[in-house]
Structure formats: structure tokens, C-alpha cells
Amino acid sequence: MEIMLHIKEVIVVEGRYDKNTLSQCVDAVIVETEGFGIFRDKEKLALLRRCAEKRGLIVLTDSDGAGFLIRNRIRSAIDPALVKHAYIPDVPGKERRKKVGSKEGTLGVEGMSGEVLIEALLRAGATTEEGESGGNGERITKADLAALGLSGSADATSRRAALQKAWRLPARLSPNALLDALNALMTREEFLTSAAALLQQIAPQTPQQED
């Protein structure tokens, strides 16, 4: 049986393959920087700052030059007291999906085993919440978005955009990325209450759907 570590902090990784690997061994909110996208995306940086203030951040990037540039960007933009840094070891190799390995010739986060990633997070001082889902209680799910007409409906995109603006969230968030942000910043109960109230103000003509 695989170990699943429940972590309170929001974990920051570079891309979706890192997130996919990490989510197999860690139950936590995981946010991608989209590589160097963090350098030009002020909204994403603002979101990370809010996550840090709410729950704290753990930065887990590759151990190559690019990874350290991303760490330094976050370090310069967010209060260091709110950020922990987890480091993976230098392991020679190349991920299977890549035609060419990293410049340093070492594996990135996506190439690490679950045991190595968990050890790196614990060494960084991750706050574990045994028996709880990421330390945030019941999670907001895709079903919750659908029930409020925020996905799967004709006007889902415009409804999400209106809520994201009201909650000061990045405009370019996909439904999955929106879930990550919401779970980092509020409980499911807070989300359902706030979203229902905001949607009534934004589109009072839209019938409310029952759960």
C-alpha cells in the first residue's frame, strides 16, 4: 500500500508532469508555475502570495539552473517567512517522455520516486495533517462547480470569470487550476456560501440549481 502524505501547505511545482507525479504520493493543493511563466504572470504571483499568507508555501522545483531561478523569483516576491524550500537530490538520468535530458543530466521532480519526494518535503518542514485532506477539511470538487453552473453549462466560462474577478483570482485559470486555487484559499462551506451569494448578484436571472 502506497503512503499518502497529507500536507497543509500549498506546494509549488514547475509543470503538470511534476504535479502528476507528486499527486500520487501527496494529498495537498499543488500549484504550477508553468515554468518561467511565473516571471511574467503577475496574477499567478499574486495568487501564490495569497496562498502563502493563508496556508504557507513549499517550493519544490527541479535542482537545475531553471529551478533555482524560479525559486529566487518566488523568494524575492513573497515573504520568506511564509515559504519553505524542498530540494530533490541530484540523480543522473532522463525522464522517459523526454527526447533530451536536462542540461545538467539529472532527473527532475517528475522523475523522482514517491519516497524521495516525501522525504524532501518532510526535511523542508512540511506540516502533515494525518487523517485530514490537505489540512483543509472537505475539498471543493468538480461536482461542486457543475452544481453551481461553473462547468458543463453554456455560460460556465462567463460565470467562472465573474467569480474569479470577484475573488481576485487570475483570469486565465482552467477549471482544474481554479479548483486548486479555491481549495488553497477557502473551505468547501465557505465556497458554497460565497459562490451562491455572488452568483445571485452577478446573474439573478439564472435559476439556482439544487445539489
Side-chain angles (χ1 to χ4, degrees):
M1 182 178 179
E2 298 234 353
I3 296 175
M4 180 65 72
L5 192 68
H6 305 280
I7 292 179
K8 175 184 177 181
E9 290 90 353
V10 173
I11 304 175
V12 182
V13 297
E14 294 181 48
R16 69 179 185 276
Y17 292 104
D18 299 329
K19 181 178 180 178
N20 289 342
T21 297
L22 190 58
S23 63
Q24 294 175 38
C25 61
V26 171
D27 177 21
V29 175
I30 305 170
V31 177
E32 305 165 33
T33 68
E34 297 179 35
F36 286 140
I38 195 68
F39 285 83
R40 59 182 179 274
D41 193 338
K42 294 181 179 179
E43 289 187 329
K44 174 65 72 68
L45 200 56
L47 172 60
L48 291 181
R49 190 176 293 112
R50 290 174 64 190
C51 290
E53 293 169 352
K54 183 80 173 181
R55 301 177 62 175
L57 294 184
I58 299 179
V59 180
L60 179 64
T61 62
D62 294 350
S63 292
D64 58 8
F68 277 91
L69 283 175
I70 292 169
R71 286 182 190 276
N72 289 336
R73 176 64 179 127
I74 293 173
R75 187 179 281 116
S76 67
I78 299 175
D79 183 353
L82 304 176
V83 183
K84 300 173 182 177
H85 289 269
Y87 297 90
I88 58 173
D90 284 335
V91 178
K94 176 182 73 68
E95 287 80 7
R96 291 183 180 180
R97 70 175 182 86
K98 295 181 179 178
K99 293 182 179 180
V100 180
S102 67
K103 189 174 181 180
E104 286 83 353
T106 56
L107 295 174
V109 170
E110 69 169 285
M112 295 289 126
S113 67
E115 291 80 2
V116 168
L117 293 174
I118 286 176
E119 182 179 0
L121 292 167
L122 290 177
R123 284 186 175 181
T127 305
T128 60
E129 298 284 343
E130 209 48 53
E132 297 184 22
S133 181
N136 201 29
E138 192 175 0
R139 289 281 184 87
I140 303 163
T141 66
K142 290 182 179 179
D144 294 324
L145 296 185
L148 289 166
L150 297 172
S151 69
S153 63
D155 59 348
T157 300
S158 61
R159 289 163 72 86
R160 283 200 310 274
L163 286 186
Q164 286 166 221
K165 182 177 181 180
W167 282 326
R168 296 183 295 114
L169 295 174
R172 295 192 307 113
L173 293 179
S174 67
N176 285 338
L178 175 60
L179 275 179
D180 288 337
L182 293 173
N183 277 307
L185 298 172
M186 62 187 74
T187 65
R188 181 172 182 269
E189 183 178 356
E190 289 170 341
F191 162 73
L192 293 175
T193 301
S194 180
L198 284 170
L199 287 172
Q200 281 189 328
Q201 296 174 20
I202 293 165
Q205 75 280 6
T206 303
Q208 291 297 303
Q209 298 186 25
E210 296 182 1
D211 289 336

